[in-house]
Amino acid sequence: VKADAVLSNRIKNIRFVGEMVKFRLVRPGMVFNCLQRCLDDFTLHNIEVACSLLEVAGRFLYRTKQTSQRTQSILDTMMRLKAAKNLDSRIDMMIQNAHYCCKPPTQTARSKRKERSVEQEYIRHLFFQRLNKSTLDDVVRQLRKMDWSQHQPYIVKCILKVNKCKYNQVYLLASLVAAMTRFHPSLPIHVVDDILAELRYLLHVCEFTKQQRMLSLVKLVGELYNDLVIDSAIVFDTLYTLLSPGTERTGPMPDAPADLFRP
């Protein structure tokens, strides 16, 4: 316990020194002396101290012209010692993380942009950039001009990307669906069917990263009811699905003991 307390104090002090280096209150030579002493005795506590110092000030020292070469030499020495010694996975990961803090890996290739047609790009523009309270009627008119036999599936897909718009503007999507129902009666059927299927899928996978999308879809269901697109039976059925651990229709949806998202 005493050794852990000593190590904790050393790490706090060395991180404070690292912060002072970035404000040029401490000369870089003092930092390099500390790092060199840690490398000379490359043991557990010294490794943690060296990594803590590099995480705080390593990037600054590496990017500074006067200290870049010496920082690179320190990093090379540390990586050679890591390869030569049989360290446990935690220490190995700590050294690797300190190295990446100083020299982040370069992105060799950017993610390839999805190829979309001109019509699809225009549909995305209408939904994600143009749509607001004052332009709702104009967006409806522009969508009516589209070839619905070809583009209706993509329009439904854009409506379901409700998490891309602001939460307090979800009602605009519901109002748009309600306005288009008069001209395309099949649109609300496809939208509601896909929303409910997506909700059942999200409840099954139960991933934290998907919770914002789930909330947005539930919000859209409520707004569709407010615009008289769906009736109360669908709303109550959705509520029952959300609150119950599973039904004959949805199948079992067990929650983790600490998962309280649905309630």
Side-chain angles (χ1 to χ4, degrees), residues 105-121:
T106 56
Q107 295 182 354
T108 56
R110 295 183 178 180
S111 58
K112 188 177 180 181
R113 185 179 179 181
K114 293 182 179 180
E115 295 183 1
R116 303 185 182 96
S117 64
V118 177
E119 293 84 357
Q120 290 177 342
E121 291 288 354

Side-chain angles (χ1 to χ4, degrees), residues 16 21 102 111 132 135 161 214 224 239 259:
F16 182 65
V21 169
C102 301
S111 58
N132 56 55
T135 62
K161 292 185 178 293
M214 190 188 304
L224 289 172
L239 275 173
D259 183 18

Side-chain angles (χ1 to χ4, degrees), residues 13-31 57 60-61 64:
N13 291 334
I14 204 66
R15 293 182 76 91
F16 182 65
V17 171
E19 293 293 346
M20 288 196 294
V21 169
K22 292 191 289 187
F23 286 95
R24 302 186 188 279
L25 299 176
V26 173
R27 293 182 178 180
M30 177 181 174
V31 175
F60 171 79
L61 294 172
T64 302

